[in-house]
Amino acid sequence: MKISPNDPCWCGSGRKYKKCHMAQDEKVRMYRDLGKLVPPNKLLKTPEQIEGIKRSARINMACLDAVAEVIKAGMSTQDIDDIIYEVTTRAGAIPAPLDYEGFPKSVCTSINDEVCHGIPDPDIILKDGDIINVDVSTILDGYFSDSSRMFLIGDVSEEKRRLVEVTKECVEQGLKAVKPYGFLGDVGAAVNAYAKAHGYSVVREIGGHGIGLEFHEDPWVSFVSDPGTGMLLVPGLTFTIEPMVNMGRPEIYCDEDNGWTIYTQDGRPSAQWEILVTVTEEGCEVLCW
Ligand code: MF3
Ligand code: CO
């Protein structure tokens, strides 16, 4: 359906199309004509949708803050799950992982050589020297948010501390590459280059994702991509930066019994941080961290 310059804009701003997204659409069309992969407008969040995602994100971040206050050796990963469920539901929201494609718990908890998608369990007890990723995702009024942090349990070796720190810096490097009319591949390239420069490797098979109206939307986000490749970054495009960085080799495998938990093949530690970002006219904005 073609929209005329004087029609209301597709974004729901109430402004005329010619005063709103018309110039942007023309610019995007130019990139598409050059053979670039461009996002369909349905992936571009409106200001109202961004506000909804931010409300969801506030609860998501409150969950991680609540975990940060109490996490310590001797706790089980089920204890973490209980906190997430409690904080989320008290705020009137839903933990997005719960029953997502059969996932049995409210949060992912991944320790040491677990790369991601660890399942909370009363029998998994945090030990001194562990590193753990707590990956929280929230649905509020139909809006999804998603972020994860690493926690150090007690006295953690210098080697593992460094991995956790550099992985966070990888996310910051990726974030710096988020610019309007750049490419998604720039983000993964920045992450991968930084990890490699520190002697680490980045998981190839699992990446980030678009998010907002669904848990996992397009685009899929690789963290080992090449600059100038992948989807054009258009204002409103909203996605996660969540590289999994391995101390050793990048290869992974999936737990055959539970069908979820991903481990490093070489048994060495892996770290991950996740933020949720939206492209803006000026650069980008982090919505959840
Ligand atoms: N939070 C994970 C992500 O970042 C999603 C895990 S799916 C789940 O994409 F079911 F395991 F929660
Ligand atoms: Co995610």
Side-chain angles (χ1 to χ4, degrees):
M1 208 181 59
K2 186 113 169 53
I3 171 167
S4 310
N6 288 317
D7 286 343
C9 188
W10 54 261
C11 79
S13 64
R15 282 148 65 207
K16 286 185 178 175
Y17 181 50
K18 67 182 179 193
K19 297 263 183 203
C20 196
H21 276 90
M22 192 167 97
Q24 177 178 299
D25 284 355
E26 276 166 9
K27 193 163 176 178
V28 170
R29 194 172 316 121
M30 186 193 82
Y31 279 96
R32 196 189 53 201
D33 292 345
L34 289 170
K36 304 294 186 186
L37 179 64
V38 305
N41 282 345
K42 72 168 193 314
L43 293 181
L44 308 180
K45 271 56 188 181
T46 66
E48 191 190 333
Q49 290 169 337
I50 295 292
E51 285 312 309
I53 296 168
K54 282 185 180 173
R55 285 194 296 276
S56 174
R58 272 197 280 279
I59 299 165
N60 210 71
M61 293 185 282
C63 282
L64 284 162
D65 292 344
V67 169
E69 278 190 22
V70 298
I71 194 165
K72 64 171 195 305
M75 264 176 90
S76 75
T77 52
Q78 180 60 49
D79 294 334
I80 297 171
D81 194 75
D82 291 344
I83 293 168
I84 302 303
Y85 184 83
E86 187 64 22
V87 174
T88 306
T89 53
R90 259 181 203 279
I94 302 165
L98 191 57
D99 294 329
Y100 174 78
E101 294 186 2
F103 192 80
K105 298 285 175 170
S106 296
V107 62
C108 297
T109 49
S110 309
I111 302 172
N112 299 331
D113 65 322
E114 293 174 348
V115 171
C116 63
H117 304 168
I119 303 176
D121 189 307
D123 293 333
I124 301 177
I125 309 294
L126 298 179
K127 300 185 313 296
D128 191 61
D130 282 345
I131 58 171
I132 179 173
N133 173 272
V134 178
D135 189 346
V136 182
S137 319
T138 300
I139 317 171
L140 180 72
D141 302 332
Y143 293 109
F144 288 76
S145 56
D146 189 1
S147 62
S148 80
R149 300 181 198 161
M150 294 297 296
F151 297 99
L152 306 172
I153 307 302
D155 198 13
V156 172
S157 70
E158 182 55 36
E159 202 186 24
K160 280 157 100 178
R161 275 176 192 273
R162 187 86 189 114
L163 174 68
V164 168
E165 200 175 302
V166 169
T167 304
K168 192 176 191 181
E169 290 164 3
C170 282
V171 171
E172 289 159 2
Q173 294 297 315
L175 182 63
K176 275 203 238 164
V178 182
K179 298 186 179 91
Y181 307 101
F183 291 90
L184 198 56
D186 305 345
V187 179
V191 167
N192 195 29
Y194 195 83
K196 270 167 103 172
H198 289 82
Y200 300 139
S201 65
V202 177
V203 171
R204 317 182 73 84
E205 297 88 338
I206 311 175
H209 49 95
I211 181 165
L213 309 181
E214 289 177 63
F215 197 171
H216 297 110
E217 301 176 0
D218 282 340
W220 184 73
V221 185
S222 168
F223 299 109
V224 292
S225 44
D226 293 318
T229 65
M231 193 177 274
L232 183 72
L233 299 178
V234 177
L237 191 69
T238 303
F239 58 91
T240 66
I241 303 178
E242 52 173 317
M244 284 142 260
V245 177
N246 294 355
M247 195 181 281
R249 302 216 25 103
E251 291 81 13
I252 55 171
Y253 69 93
C254 183
D255 187 310
E256 281 180 20
D257 297 322
N258 71 26
W260 279 102
T261 310
I262 306 293
Y263 301 85
T264 59
Q265 207 142 64
D266 63 9
R268 299 188 72 195
S270 183
Q272 179 182 29
W273 295 79
E274 175 176 22
I275 63 172
L276 197 175
V277 62
T278 190
V279 182
T280 64
E281 307 276 352
E282 299 77 29
C284 65
E285 184 182 359
V286 179
L287 304 181
C288 192
W289 65 90

